Each structure stands twice: as structure tokens, then as C-alpha cells.
Amino acid sequence: MKLSLFTTALAASIISVSAIPFTKHSPTSSAVSKRQTGCENTATSRGCWGSYSIDDDFLTVLPRTGVTREYWLSVENTTAAPDGYERSVLSFNGTVPGPAITADWGDEVVIHVTNNLDHNGTAIHWHGIRQLNTNEFDGVPGVTQCPIAPGDSFTYKFHADHYGTTWYHSHFTLQYGDGLLGPLVINGPATADYDEDLGVVFLSDWSHQSAFELWSTTASRGAPPSLDTGLINGLNTFDCSGSTDEKCLGTGKKFELNFEAGKKYRIRLINSAIDGHFQFSLDGHSFQVIAMDLVPIVPYEAESLHISIGQRYDIVVEANADPGDYWLRAGWQSACNNNQNADGMTGIIRYDNTSTADPTSTGITVDTFCGDEDASTLVPHVPLNVGNYSSMTVESLGFTFGSYFEWTVNSSSLVLDWENPTNLMILNDESIWPTEYNVIPIEAASESDWAVFVIQDRTGFGITHPIHLHGHDFWIIAQEYTSYDSANPNFNFVNPPRRDVASLPGNGYLAIAFEIDNPGSWIMHCHIAWHASQGFALQFVESESQIVSTFADETGFQDTCTNWNSYTTVQLYEQDDSGI
């Protein structure tokens, strides 16, 4: 039996917390100031972090604070009315979004998840977390684990290798589209100064029907449904005037932020939509963009910000407008997908917290561009170049019609068997991968070896796809609206943007590079929830011979599979999509 990371952490200090909804926090906790010496992180020195700083490369500089942050999450069926329309939702600890998980750079994080759903399994993914040598806790059913059966629990453990803004969500089919998500913040240094951290702001689309109902009636056939509205941090208002629907309660509220003139505020933006692209803006205010995903960048000024699904941006906004009330606009882009309340996804910024007036401010005109921010503005603060690579894979995106509409990568659509996850096959030393697992093995031919992956959209649909890779930040070496030319690839290896979600341009191609330095089964998929369910995914099995040696809790892994297999004999709902 291998030594558990949690057992090791007990020898250090443990901070046990009940997870509570995220509001705001100081990025320098008392625990940090007590245990670190050196430059103090203050409103005028955000680049400092005790003995470390914003100039450290967190891929090679790995602080160990000796602190364990411990959380308990309950996955539940809940009735809620986020916008004033009541419906059944899935929640963590009864809230949508779920409670905040916070830690400091270098902490150990332990999260106990209990599945209290009436039906269905679950598995929780910690989006963007590197999971260096902790692949078993990445939270993908059918890849890194069996689902957690109703009534069962599973404990996730990882080291906070890097810092910034991200989120956690279910990776079990479409559960996050019904509310099963929450904020995850790793405190650390920043590339710009600010007075106060206002925390995470989720931008989401939202339906008055379950995502699973929409899947069975519409989405599985390939046509994306037009959802009813959207939410900002789980809040919005839906017009129930004149409605005879007893579920239309009219109790919704707008999300609000309070500004004090002259102060600078950090806001952490996350696109957590099922299928939607945003052009975020704040009426009357510009802002600095200081981080993309979990990568600090050289700050740049912006009036608005294109955010694709799964992406995060940290911004700093100065309260320098005339005191009053201003609209905060998610900025739904109807050119990318339809929504029945495209213009109504708004919150409010108030300079007077006693005000209840609706703003009269005007904002930007939302454009029709469905891609990422201009690569020339996304300059990582710590410059890192792509190294030598021995592995290069070129794949084509296509589609087919089976029992449902299926996306294909090199003619194969991902379908996983929850009872036989990839890591279980590796543990059992099975030699043949099922074709529909879409496995690409990668091995380092030498120390500091890299892999390059190119995907070309050959569907002709012109849809932009947000591509997310688990287990790595990747370097975006090309991102073009043209066909890939292997004879003239035009790759940029010199400090290109690096992140964990990037857009595949419609009818174009995306080329990424990452170092082969993290053994594990890592899935890469489109983050449009319908598309993931339709099989738009593949998995890299990286350094396969080393994966089992990284397992910290093989007994917990096996017990979860045993309990899941027992549950399947009485389960109410069968798998009817890719599994993710």
C-alpha cells in the first residue's frame, strides 16, 4: 500500500474548513504572512509572495508550505430559482455555484466528495489544475476513475503547483450544465497592483429545463438548443409578469458589485457556459487584463474581453467613473449561439451600496467574433519557449450519425466505459486500447522532450470549438482560420500564449505544444458541453509505464470501481453519450 499524500500532510499543519460561498478575500492570508518571509504581498506590491514572486516559473519552482486545506462537498439534488424561475438543479452543498475552494500557492488541497444524488454517479474535475504526479485525482469518469456511486464518497488530493483563478465541476456527462460547479482560487502574486479582490464572477447560460432533458429532445441530434437565459454568479432576473406558470416566481435578483471611488479591484472571470461565448464589459470602465487561465500575463488595457467556455481572465478595474450605477455585461454573442435573453445577462456596479436604481448606462456593441483574444496581447509574464519535440500528431475533426450526432477525431468518436476507466486498464496491464477510447500514447524520447498536436476542422460548419487539455498548460504555436500546411506550418515557438483552453477556429486549425513531464491519462476535449457528450475528445496516455507508480490511493481507486459496479445492477439511467 502506497503512502497517502493526506497521511503525509498530517505531519504538517492542517486547515479544515467548511466550504462556504465565495465572496471576497485578501490574497495574502494570515497563514502566508506567518510562514513566509521576504517581500510582503500588499496593495502596492502584488508581485511579491513572501520568499517567491511573480517572476518565478511555477513549472519549476514548487513551494511547499506544509499547510493542508481540507474541504467537504456534498453533491445534491436541489430545487432552486436562480433567476426567479424554479426548477430542479444539481448543487454542491445546496448552492449554485457551489462553495469556494481556496488555497495558497504551495498548499496541499484535500477535498472529500460525497454523492448524495437520488440517481446517477458523479466525478469532479479540478479544471486547469496540473495534477503533477496525481493523475488519479483529475476526476474524469471512464479515464482516471470510475464514477462515484450514490451514497459513496471519494477523496481528491493535489498540490497547488500554480496559482490564479479556476473552477471545479462535474465531468459526468452534462451535470455541470445543471449547476454542478464552483470556484477554485489559488492565491499567489499578480502582475498588477490592486486594493481589493472581489473574487470570482461566473458567466453562464441557463435553461429552465434540465440539460439532460435538452440532450434527449434536441442536443443529441446535433442541433444546439437555444437556452432561456443566462446567469452571473448564479443570479439574474426573469420576467414573470403575466405568466401563469406556477414555477415562474419572479424572485430573481441581479448580481451586484460595490465600488469605492479611487480604488482598484481584481475580478476573476470564468465562462462556465454549456454553449456560449461572451464579450464581457463594464459600462463606463476600462480595465487591465492580468492573467489568462492560470498564467499571469503582461497587463494590457481593454474595453471588453472575449471569453470562451472554460477560459478564465483576471482583470483589474479602477473605480474612476462618475459615481453612480453601471451595468456589468456578460455580453452574450448571438453570432456564436442563440439565447432567448441575450441582452439581459447583466449585473450591476454600484458606487453607493444603498442604491436600488437600475442603471441607465450604455455599453459596447457586442461583435460577431467567436474566437480568443488577440494572441499578440496574451504575453506570458514569465517568458518560456517551446523545446525540442519528438512527437507530432495531426488529427482531423469530422462528424457522423450513429445513435446520436457524433463528432469524430480522425474518424473516431470518444465513448468511454465507466466501469473500465483507462487507469484501471493500465493498472491491470491490459495491452489493447478500445478504439473508441481515442488514445494517443506519448513517451519522452529524451529528457525535456515535447509533444506537438495539431487539429484541423474539416467539417465545413464554421463553428469555433474551445479545446481544453487536462494535466498541462499548453503553448499555442498556431491558431489559424485556414487549412494546415505541413510543408509550411508557421509555428511560433518563442514565448507564445500558454493556457489550458484555446479556440479551434471554425474551418481552421489549432496547434499546441506541451512538455512530456506529467505521467497520466489526460483527456483533451471540446468544452461545449453538447460536443463533449457527442464524443469530441481524445486522451493522451503519457509515459504509461510510470502512471501506476504515481498512485497514492490504489485502494480508494479500486473501492470506487467496486461500489460503482454494484450500483450499476440497480441504476435507473443508462449511459447515452460519450460519458464525459
Side-chain angles (χ1 to χ4, degrees):
M1 180 63 186
K2 299 179 180 66
L3 182 64
S4 166
L5 292 178
F6 179 57
T7 304
T8 304
L10 287 173
S13 61
I14 297 179
I15 298 178
S16 298
V17 295
S18 296
I20 57 175
F22 189 89
T23 51
K24 58 187 180 182
H25 64 275
S26 168
T28 306
S29 69
S30 59
V32 173
S33 60
K34 287 179 181 178
R35 70 173 180 264
Q36 294 182 342
T37 58
C39 187
E40 183 181 0
N41 183 282
T42 70
T44 56
S45 59
R46 293 300 185 194
C48 295
W49 196 255
S51 301
Y52 305 95
S53 80
I54 192 67
D55 298 326
D56 288 314
D57 171 18
F58 53 54
L59 295 177
T60 56
V61 176
L62 304 176
R64 297 282 176 179
T65 63
V67 172
T68 295
R69 309 279 177 174
E70 192 168 13
Y71 293 85
W72 286 261
L73 296 176
S74 171
V75 179
E76 303 170 355
N77 298 99
T78 308
T79 299
D83 62 345
Y85 188 98
E86 189 175 68
R87 54 156 290 190
S88 295
V89 302
L90 302 178
S91 71
F92 288 107
N93 296 9
T95 67
V96 177
I101 292 177
T102 60
D104 294 325
W105 183 22
D107 286 350
E108 303 294 330
V109 183
V110 177
I111 307 125
H112 308 281
V113 176
T114 298
N115 182 358
N116 286 311
L117 295 175
D118 298 332
H119 307 286
N120 275 327
T122 196
I124 311 307
H125 172 57
W126 318 95
H127 184 109
I129 296 298
R130 187 181 180 192
Q131 299 286 5
L132 182 63
N133 295 316
T134 53
N135 173 247
E136 65 186 295
F137 301 125
D138 193 45
V140 184
V143 177
T144 62
Q145 67 173 95
C146 294
I148 308 168
D152 195 16
S153 298
F154 186 81
T155 297
Y156 296 90
K157 309 166 190 176
F158 56 84
H159 179 251
D161 290 341
H162 43 193
Y163 51 85
T165 302
T166 192
W167 55 311
Y168 62 95
H169 61 81
S170 171
H171 226 302
F172 187 93
T173 69
L174 294 161
Q175 286 181 340
Y176 94 73
D178 278 347
L180 208 51
L181 53 86
L184 172 56
V185 173
I186 309 298
N187 300 317
T191 56
D193 291 335
Y194 54 89
D195 296 294
E196 189 174 344
D197 188 339
L198 295 179
V200 166
V201 174
F202 278 106
L203 310 176
S204 305
D205 49 7
W206 188 249
S207 174
H208 295 158
Q209 288 181 277
S210 164
F212 291 93
E213 293 176 317
L214 294 173
W215 168 258
S216 63
T217 59
T218 307
S220 62
R221 302 168 190 172
S226 179
L227 302 195
D228 295 290
T229 186
L231 305 176
I232 297 180
N233 259 15
L235 297 173
N236 205 354
T237 55
F238 188 77
D239 185 6
C240 290
S241 58
S243 175
T244 59
D245 187 342
E246 62 181 14
K247 295 181 180 179
C248 207
L249 307 178
T251 55
K253 296 180 180 180
K254 291 290 186 182
F255 172 73
E256 297 187 6
L257 290 175
N258 295 314
F259 280 8
E260 181 180 334
K263 282 193 172 183
K264 292 183 178 181
Y265 296 96
R266 180 176 184 165
I267 301 174
R268 302 167 180 266
L269 301 169
I270 302 175
N271 181 341
S272 56
I274 296 174
D275 185 2
H277 198 276
F278 294 103
Q279 186 178 358
F280 175 86
S281 64
L282 303 167
D283 287 4
H285 300 78
S286 60
F287 46 80
Q288 282 186 307
V289 185
I290 66 169
M292 58 177 170
D293 296 353
L294 289 172
V295 177
I297 62 174
V298 176
Y300 70 94
E301 294 287 331
E303 302 286 337
S304 66
L305 194 56
H306 292 96
I307 314 177
S308 195
I309 303 170
Q311 291 183 338
R312 293 87 66 210
Y313 285 96
D314 288 33
I315 64 173
V316 173
V317 56
E318 184 173 0
N320 56 8
D322 292 336
D325 302 302
Y326 295 87
W327 289 117
L328 177 155
R329 301 180 189 271
W332 180 269
Q333 295 185 262
S334 296
C336 312
N337 194 26
N338 292 322
N339 189 282
Q340 300 303 307
N341 189 30
D343 296 331
M345 300 182 199
T346 54
I348 301 175
I349 295 170
R350 299 196 188 280
Y351 279 73
D352 178 357
N353 62 13
T354 66
S355 172
T356 59
D358 282 347
T360 58
S361 59
T362 57
I364 65 164
T365 299
V366 173
D367 63 34
T368 60
F369 180 64
C370 301
D372 296 338
E373 286 286 286
D374 192 309
S376 66
T377 65
L378 303 177
V379 181
H381 173 78
V382 176
L384 298 174
N385 300 334
V386 176
N388 295 324
Y389 62 93
S390 64
S391 171
M392 181 171 176
T393 305
V394 180
E395 306 271 20
S396 295
L397 177 65
F399 66 95
T400 188
F401 289 91
S403 58
Y404 53 85
F405 176 91
E406 297 175 336
W407 297 95
T408 61
V409 180
N410 269 22
S411 302
S412 179
S413 184
L414 181 94
V415 181
L416 298 169
D417 178 359
W418 290 327
E419 296 182 33
N420 196 25
T422 306
N423 277 357
L424 181 59
M425 299 177 71
I426 293 170
L427 191 64
N428 292 337
D429 199 25
E430 297 184 32
S431 58
I432 299 176
W433 302 111
T435 301
E436 62 272 17
Y437 274 41
N438 285 7
V439 168
I440 298 176
I442 53 173
E443 298 286 341
S446 60
E447 190 175 353
S448 300
D449 193 13
W450 288 62
V452 169
F453 178 82
V454 181
I455 184 167
Q456 170 77 56
D457 177 10
R458 298 197 181 280
T459 64
F461 295 156
I463 299 171
T464 300
H465 299 274
I467 305 300
H468 174 47
L469 174 63
H470 294 208
H472 292 273
D473 284 332
F474 53 73
W475 282 243
I476 304 171
I477 58 176
Q479 191 177 29
E480 303 291 344
Y481 286 88
T482 58
S483 295
Y484 173 66
D485 180 3
S486 60
N488 184 29
N490 197 31
F491 291 156
N492 172 28
F493 294 135
V494 180
N495 196 34
R498 60 182 186 268
R499 60 191 317 168
D500 57 69
V501 182
S503 294
L504 165 62
N507 301 328
Y509 72 94
L510 173 70
I512 64 171
F514 58 92
E515 190 169 3
I516 306 172
D517 62 357
N518 194 7
S521 304
W522 305 114
I523 199 163
M524 186 174 78
H525 61 92
C526 178
H527 222 296
I528 296 173
W530 312 127
H531 296 185
S533 281
Q534 292 160 349
F536 187 169
L538 56 83
Q539 49 183 319
F540 295 103
V541 173
E542 179 178 350
S543 306
E544 180 184 345
S545 63
Q546 302 175 40
I547 294 174
V548 173
S549 67
T550 68
F551 277 27
D553 187 5
E554 185 178 324
T555 298
F557 173 87
Q558 295 280 19
D559 287 349
T560 301
C561 286
T562 298
N563 294 338
W564 172 254
N565 293 342
S566 296
Y567 168 71
T568 60
T569 63
V570 297
Q571 67 182 347
L572 183 61
Y573 301 110
E574 299 287 342
Q575 180 179 342
D576 64 354
D577 69 353
S578 69
I580 61 165

